[in-house]
Amino acid sequence: MANTSSRTLRLLSLLQTHRHWSGTELADRLGVSERTLRRDVDRLRELGYPVSAARGTDGGYQLAPGAVLPPLLLDDEEAVALAVGIGDAAQSGIAGMQEASLRALTKVIRVLPPRLRARVDALREMTLSVAASGPIVTAQVLTVVAQACRDQERLRFGYTARGSAPTEREVEPHRLVALGGRWYLVAYDLTRHDWRSFRLDRLTEPAGTGTRFRPRPLPAEDAAAFVQAASGAPAPYTVQALVHAPAARVRQAVGQWGTIEPLDHDTCRITMTSTSLDWPTQALGNVGAEFEVLGPPEFAAHVQEWGTRFIRATSATDRPSLP
């Protein structure tokens, strides 16, 4: 029979996999009597887990929503699936998702055994995701760099800039930035005595040095602005439009690339962020419904230009055919 601590963890894991368990089923799974099961349930309650119980023929146990999120107990397959999914979410481009997803990914990867980390990296490398359109960055690299930023710990890594030979760098990491389908590290380069942005897909074998540092003031409004200035990338547009179609229909056509806000049964507002005005125009065209541009003015002019081009294309059918 398993000892009390391991049996309690097993009980918590079982309660997380099903909405409802009968007492007999749980006792059989754990190989204990129903009396021992009741004591184990009481132990979970003492630890703060809200396990509810009901008597009678339909009675049993279930883990109720609580004030805090309990630790999740995952098997190997679940852990790999979760890490891969969070990695894609971190690169999804959805507003507000990158930082939260990266924090979650850091926690998951940190406790994965090496054999499971290898499986996560292999799956991410060999799987094409609509969310992750840029170069694939391994979960291990992401989490090591993120932890160094969080802990204000100097970081060493190999780096190969475009058209240059590989170099060794030691930096004071500041922030990670997801921009244009790529991950960047903003850091103070201790060799060059200046701020730099590093593409994570060109970075190898990052490792903390164990040396802490006091953060320096960043010479930019924020890390994203620094990367944009350093890479020469244009500032993104925030496009808004009023679409005369149900929110569910618009969401199906646009997917994760836009935020849809229902206004009534047949109207919604869509917000999209992009450095290019072409794909928001195409996304709205894919909906197949009337829409009104709310802004910015550059987008209104862009849609008008597309419309003029299409009108010219259709008017060509009225011309005499070429011999």
Side-chain angles (χ1 to χ4, degrees):
M1 183 184 298
N3 62 43
T4 302
S5 297
S6 62
R7 192 176 66 241
T8 303
L9 287 174
R10 174 66 175 156
L11 172 59
L12 180 58
S13 177
L14 289 171
L15 288 170
Q16 289 174 343
T17 59
H18 284 282
R19 179 175 177 82
H20 181 273
W21 285 93
S22 70
T24 303
E25 287 178 307
L26 271 182
D28 288 344
R29 285 294 191 102
L30 296 170
V32 297
S33 67
E34 293 195 38
R35 182 178 179 182
T36 299
L37 172 64
R38 287 193 292 272
R39 287 200 299 264
D40 289 345
V41 168
D42 288 338
R43 189 173 295 108
L44 283 178
R45 289 169 176 158
E46 291 171 2
L47 293 172
Y49 301 110
V51 182
S52 61
R55 298 181 181 276
T57 55
D58 294 328
Y61 299 93
Q62 68 181 50
L63 190 62
V68 296
L69 179 69
L72 298 177
L73 303 175
L74 307 172
D75 61 29
D76 285 3
E77 299 300 326
E78 292 169 339
V80 169
L82 181 63
V84 172
I86 294 174
D88 280 348
Q91 295 181 268
S92 67
I94 302 174
M97 284 289 289
Q98 289 98 338
E99 186 176 349
S101 299
L102 189 56
R103 289 200 307 269
L105 182 63
T106 299
K107 293 176 182 179
V108 172
I109 293 296
R110 192 173 185 179
V111 297
L112 283 183
R115 58 187 175 82
L116 295 186
R117 292 186 191 181
R119 287 179 59 186
V120 169
D121 288 340
L123 274 172
R124 296 195 69 236
E125 183 177 352
M126 299 307 296
T127 303
L128 180 63
S129 169
V130 173
S133 58
I136 294 297
V137 177
T138 67
Q140 179 69 5
V141 168
L142 272 173
T143 51
V144 168
V145 176
Q147 287 172 13
C149 292
R150 179 198 63 191
D151 298 337
Q152 297 175 1
E153 179 183 359
R154 289 182 177 178
L155 191 67
R156 286 198 189 103
F157 51 82
Y159 192 73
T160 306
R162 183 176 180 180
S164 302
T167 58
E168 293 294 322
R169 304 293 184 97
E170 183 170 344
V171 304
E172 294 177 353
H174 176 70
R175 288 287 187 277
L176 283 173
V177 176
L179 181 66
R182 293 184 173 87
W183 278 104
Y184 296 86
L185 166 65
V186 174
Y188 186 83
D189 192 318
L190 294 169
T191 303
R192 289 152 178 78
H193 305 289
D194 198 4
W195 287 91
R196 293 285 192 273
S197 65
F198 302 93
R199 273 180 47 176
L200 259 63
D201 57 297
R202 295 175 177 170
L203 186 150
T204 57
E205 298 182 358
T209 65
T211 303
R212 300 297 176 89
F213 62 89
R214 180 175 296 178
R216 305 169 189 260
L218 181 70
E221 180 181 353
D222 55 35
F226 181 85
V227 171
Q228 286 176 343
S231 63
Y237 296 97
T238 299
V239 168
Q240 284 195 325
L242 189 69
V243 184
H244 298 283
R249 173 180 165 186
V250 177
R251 191 173 290 112
Q252 184 177 14
V254 177
Q256 65 182 5
W257 305 111
T259 301
I260 292 87
E261 177 188 356
L263 300 180
D264 56 41
H265 181 69
D266 296 314
T267 311
C268 62
R269 178 166 49 225
I270 181 170
T271 303
M272 296 174 280
T273 302
S274 172
T275 56
S276 168
L277 293 175
D278 284 339
W279 81 257
T281 306
Q282 182 178 350
L284 285 167
N286 289 342
V287 175
E290 297 289 327
F291 65 91
E292 301 164 30
V293 175
L294 301 179
E298 296 90 341
F299 183 58
H302 195 75
V303 171
Q304 188 173 28
E305 180 187 342
W306 270 45
T308 302
R309 192 181 308 147
F310 284 125
I311 290 173
R312 286 200 303 265
T314 55
S315 64
T317 59
D318 298 329
R319 301 171 192 165
S321 58
L322 295 176

